[in-house]
Amino acid sequence: MGYNEVYDRSIADPEGFWLDEADKIDWVQKPSKALFDDNAPIYEWFSDGLVNTCWNAVDRHVEAGHGAQAAIIHDSPVTGTKHRISYAQLRSRVARLAGALRAKGVDKGDRVIIYMPMVPEALEAMLACARIGAVHSVVFGGFAAHELAVRIDDCTPKAIIAASGGIEPGRVVHYKPLLDGAIEQAAHKPDFCVIFQREEEVAKLIEGRDYDWHAFQYGVEPAECVPVEGNHPAYILYTSGTTGAPKGVVRPTGGHLVALNWTMKNIYNVDPGEVFWAASDVGWVVGHSYICYGPLIHGNTTIVFEGKPVGTPDAGTFWRVISEHKVKSFFTAPTALRAIKRDDPEARELQNYDISCLRALYLAGERADPDTINWAADKMGVPVYDHWWQTETGWTIAGNPAGVEALSVKVGSPTVAMPGYDVQILDEGGHEVPAGTLGAIAVKLPLPPGTLPTLWNAEDRYRKSYLTTFPGYYETGDAGMKDEDGYLWIMARTDDVINVAGHRLSTGAMEEVLASHPDVAECAVIGVSDTLKGQAPVGFVCLTKGVNRPHAEVTAECVKLVRDQIGPVAAFKLAVVVDRLPKTRSGKILRAIMVKIADSQDYKMPATIDDPAILDEVKEALQGIGLAK
Ligand code: COA
Ligand code: AMP
């Protein structure tokens, strides 16, 4: 069957299509049907089945005789170590950790926060939660204490599993003080913490609250897999929205298993036993779906890479990992390739490695610019497949189904809609627009299995954020178009979310932090074009009347404040002081025009602007920091 038949069947007969795919998963009790639509527009899949994620990701491969196969390869240039964990070892490690959590009172449905760097223990912690039906929420290591505190208060975890530290090039990230600070700030207190001590950073434990990872597991009874309902939350993953409060995306267990399993062959074109590598971080959705769950559910070997595309130690690291571990399909963010291309434009490092094992490169997380795609295709000699998805969906909305049928690549387009996604381009009134016309990208409900059914403890927010603008559709927050061949083109966000080095960030959250500075009366944050990271945030602050301090002092404090409150991942390094912000007569800040000025693009003066002269002030301030040429 080619792509068209597969896709058409998924839309015409979703029950049949997804029940067939569900057969490839081990159920304790098979679901009676696929779609549960009694509570539409809130949809669920496989709700009455009974299943366990850890069984499907680990135990079933051991039972099938693949216990000796590597499940995880940890390759860590920052610590100079590499090691392999087989499926059999993974099962006993996860069962023991799960047993220890259970012995301390963690049960089905309890939440557990995981705050760890790129070590296999992060995956083991995720799988241990899944084994006992606990709901994990992984928090990215580049977030500061405040962001962690917000997540603790939102999902009220019984336990937090953290590492003592992470290693960034040139510095150790001290996780423990961040964790302690977060617990102090949060109103909710976890019952206990489990700390994985790293050789590079041994943290001081708080007696009675913190347990050492190894000591904690000593002598416990390993836990068996606990069956959970198909609609039981597998995990919560927070992502940026328009405001400072992150959205807790809920991932349902049954759909997650079925959909990810489908993608491994049909999109990433790997067979069980082959090596798959996603160079991302467990803190992001890519890490959840394609470092941890997808490859393991499908019986692949996954690589946990603790390093950067450049500087650990050089721009050849990715090629080394691919050749050394015989990677078949490789997934990264365009920004990582831009970093390599900047350091090694001729890809001379590639001459030192044989990457003929590689079949294809997959890019996602941000818009893949044609220069990067063409460079990668040329130097690496493999097809480069852009694919578009979001934390909310957990897997590809639009991609190139290479395992079904490799469609011709149109550089700049992530190709076509994947099964179950009825993607439409809508105008403001919610009507589909003709091919080639820009509009809001929406997906006709229901979304396919594995996608979010709701937000954690915030169904109203879920409805308002995604289901209200276009009744009967899921609003993606992206704008773009479809061409005559049905290929999608993703052009921009329709909200205040920006994408910095493949990391999704909220300018609203940064504005909330800037507004908390005592000398700041008003502020705006925009995302400007950045040749390496895609976008970079720039803050504009207006000072409180009477404040007469050097501007550089205030902006330096603003930069520090965002780093301390949100974390280094915000990459907030540029702020300027302006007298006023450009606004419409009704008081709306003209952020889109500020972006155009910063990016030295032409813009149309809006008829509703309050005072056009302010735009000159904005331009001058931006020129002071090397923008708006
Ligand atoms: N823990 C703690 N801090 C972290 C971190 C982590 N897990 N990840 C990043 N940071 C810090 C970095 O050290 C950096 O701090 P600095 O301001 O002190 O230099 C800051 O957060 C910004 O990080 P980043 O945006 O990643 O930039 P970088 O300069 O470290 O590296 C790239 C630039 C392009 C090489 C890098 O961004 C990259 O490879 N990104 C991959 C993108 C990716 O995997 N995205 C996931 C979606 S698929
Ligand atoms: P995240 O939830 O962090 O994965 O971010 C999702 C957002 O990143 C999407 O809504 C897009 O705005 C952007 N994005 C992800 N992948 C792509 C892609 N392939 N092309 C364009 N934008 C992308």
Side-chain angles (χ1 to χ4, degrees):
M1 262 206 287
Y3 162 75
N4 282 335
E5 286 109 297
V6 171
Y7 178 77
D8 290 349
R9 178 174 178 230
S10 79
I11 300 297
D13 176 23
E15 274 301 298
F17 184 93
W18 292 114
L19 282 175
D20 282 355
E21 290 310 317
D23 271 346
K24 297 169 188 163
I25 292 300
D26 278 5
W27 298 86
V28 175
Q29 182 186 300
K30 285 200 177 202
S32 63
K33 56 179 183 166
L35 183 66
F36 288 70
D37 57 2
D38 350 343
N39 195 22
I42 307 279
Y43 294 91
E44 289 183 347
W45 295 87
F46 312 119
S47 309
D48 65 358
L50 284 177
V51 70
N52 182 278
T53 298
C54 186
W55 173 272
N56 279 281
V58 185
D59 300 53
R60 70 162 166 162
H61 306 307
V62 181
E63 300 290 321
H66 306 301
Q69 183 197 318
I72 300 174
I73 298 174
H74 185 218
D75 189 309
S76 169
V78 292
T79 58
T81 59
K82 287 175 213 167
H83 71 285
R84 288 168 172 260
I85 299 169
S86 69
Y87 270 101
Q89 287 167 326
L90 185 61
R91 175 164 72 172
S92 47
R93 291 163 71 132
V94 168
R96 211 168 42 236
L97 179 60
L101 289 170
R102 193 184 49 192
K104 285 270 178 301
V106 177
D107 275 322
K108 182 181 164 201
D110 289 336
R111 273 81 56 214
V112 175
I113 279 189
I114 300 172
Y115 187 51
M116 296 179 98
M118 286 296 290
V119 289
E121 286 76 5
L123 278 63
E124 290 169 14
M126 294 161 82
L127 293 162
C129 290
R131 196 168 184 88
I132 53 176
V135 182
H136 65 67
S137 186
V138 182
V139 178
F140 177 62
F143 281 124
H146 174 72
E147 289 292 316
L148 182 54
V150 167
R151 287 156 175 78
I152 293 173
D153 277 336
D154 197 72
C155 76
T156 58
K158 201 167 228 180
I160 300 183
I161 306 178
S164 53
I167 295 115
E168 281 293 291
R171 73 188 157 99
V172 171
V173 184
H174 310 290
Y175 276 54
K176 190 54 183 10
L178 293 171
L179 172 66
D180 292 344
I183 295 177
E184 204 177 296
Q185 278 181 42
H188 170 84
K189 309 292 173 196
D191 290 359
F192 66 95
C193 299
V194 183
I195 309 296
F196 175 66
Q197 299 278 21
R198 304 200 71 190
E199 273 177 35
E200 296 74 15
E201 165 92 348
V202 178
K204 195 165 174 305
L205 304 187
I206 296 178
E207 178 108 25
R209 189 199 74 183
D210 299 342
Y211 297 92
D212 169 78
W213 173 275
H214 295 289
F216 169 71
Q217 300 182 48
Y218 183 75
V220 299
E221 176 84 10
E224 288 309 317
C225 296
V226 173
V228 302
E229 297 73 21
N231 60 357
H232 181 74
Y235 67 78
I236 304 163
L237 179 58
Y238 287 90
T239 190
S240 302
T242 302
T243 67
K247 296 172 178 168
V249 168
V250 171
R251 186 77 55 220
T253 300
H256 185 228
L257 284 163
V258 173
L260 290 188
N261 191 56
W262 183 87
T263 62
M264 292 310 297
K265 176 64 194 166
N266 295 293
I267 296 178
Y268 301 106
N269 201 12
V270 284
D271 290 314
E274 293 185 326
V275 182
F276 178 85
W277 179 26
S280 178
D281 188 286
V282 281
W284 306 115
V285 70
V286 176
H288 281 63
S289 296
Y290 294 112
I291 296 174
C292 184
Y293 291 112
L296 295 179
I297 291 164
H298 194 245
N300 292 102
T301 298
T302 185
I303 296 184
V304 174
F305 172 72
E306 192 179 18
K308 301 268 172 180
V310 292
T312 60
D314 53 39
T317 307
F318 274 14
W319 320 138
R320 176 190 64 75
V321 173
I322 292 168
S323 79
E324 199 170 315
H325 305 303
K326 306 268 176 297
V327 173
K328 288 283 177 333
S329 287
F330 175 45
F331 179 166
T332 191
T335 188
L337 291 173
R338 287 197 295 269
I340 296 173
K341 179 169 164 245
R342 193 175 65 169
D343 270 25
D344 182 16
E346 298 307 320
R348 287 187 207 288
E349 290 285 354
L350 248 176
Q351 290 162 14
N352 302 324
Y353 304 99
D354 172 8
I355 62 161
S356 57
C357 52
L358 190 71
R359 278 200 295 253
L361 167 69
Y362 294 80
L363 297 177
E366 57 172 329
R367 197 180 155 268
D369 53 292
D371 274 0
T372 305
I373 296 179
N374 291 333
W375 181 85
D378 176 40
K379 303 295 179 211
M380 296 169 72
V382 294
V384 179
Y385 299 130
D386 180 16
H387 59 323
W388 166 66
W389 50 295
Q390 321 180 299
T391 305
E392 288 85 343
T393 64
W395 61 285
T396 309
I397 309 171
N400 198 323
V404 178
E405 174 187 0
L407 300 176
S408 52
V409 169
K410 293 193 192 184
V411 174
S413 159
T415 319
V416 292
M418 289 295 96
Y421 289 102
D422 184 355
V423 181
Q424 300 187 9
I425 313 292
L426 305 180
D427 64 16
E428 278 177 8
H431 305 105
E432 207 173 354
V433 298
T437 310
L438 265 177
I441 313 181
V443 185
K444 200 160 188 307
L445 293 170
L447 292 172
T451 55
L452 84 172
T454 188
L455 294 174
W456 182 254
N457 275 343
E459 192 174 300
D460 269 0
R461 191 174 178 201
Y462 171 66
R463 288 173 188 268
K464 275 197 203 101
S465 304
Y466 302 103
L467 308 182
T468 308
T469 313
F470 305 114
Y473 290 85
Y474 165 82
E475 185 184 6
T476 64
D478 285 308
M481 61 182 186
K482 235 191 234 182
D483 68 16
E484 298 286 350
D485 301 325
Y487 278 52
L488 276 161
W489 299 79
I490 316 301
M491 312 306 277
R493 287 288 303 189
T494 55
D495 56 13
D496 296 325
V497 164
I498 59 170
N499 201 311
V500 181
H503 307 317
R504 173 169 160 183
L505 298 166
S506 157
T507 54
M510 294 186 221
E511 288 176 0
E512 282 176 29
V513 174
L514 295 182
S516 72
H517 188 292
D519 294 345
V520 171
E522 210 183 2
C523 64
V525 173
I526 58 168
V528 305
S529 295
D530 183 274
T531 48
L532 177 66
K533 297 193 176 187
Q535 283 183 299
V538 172
F540 293 78
V541 294
C542 304
L543 301 187
T544 311
K545 229 179 171 161
V547 171
N548 204 2
R549 300 172 53 207
H551 288 178
E553 228 174 80
V554 180
T555 52
E557 285 167 12
C558 286
V559 166
K560 183 168 181 311
L561 202 59
V562 174
R563 190 177 174 95
D564 289 349
Q565 293 283 309
I566 298 181
V569 67
F572 184 83
K573 306 218 159 145
L574 293 172
V576 290
V577 173
V578 287
D579 282 342
R580 298 166 299 169
L581 293 169
K583 289 184 186 168
T584 61
R585 279 191 284 277
S586 61
K588 205 170 168 301
I589 299 173
L590 291 161
R591 291 185 182 78
I593 293 206
M594 294 162 83
V595 172
K596 288 219 155 96
I597 295 175
D599 291 348
S600 320
Q601 283 177 12
D602 294 338
Y603 60 88
K604 239 175 60 203
M605 184 69 73
T608 54
I609 191 165
D610 187 33
D611 178 359
I614 304 180
L615 294 182
D616 295 329
E617 289 172 34
V618 165
K619 186 167 183 183
E620 210 173 297
L622 285 165
Q623 283 171 337
I625 53 169
L627 298 167
K629 303 229 167 69

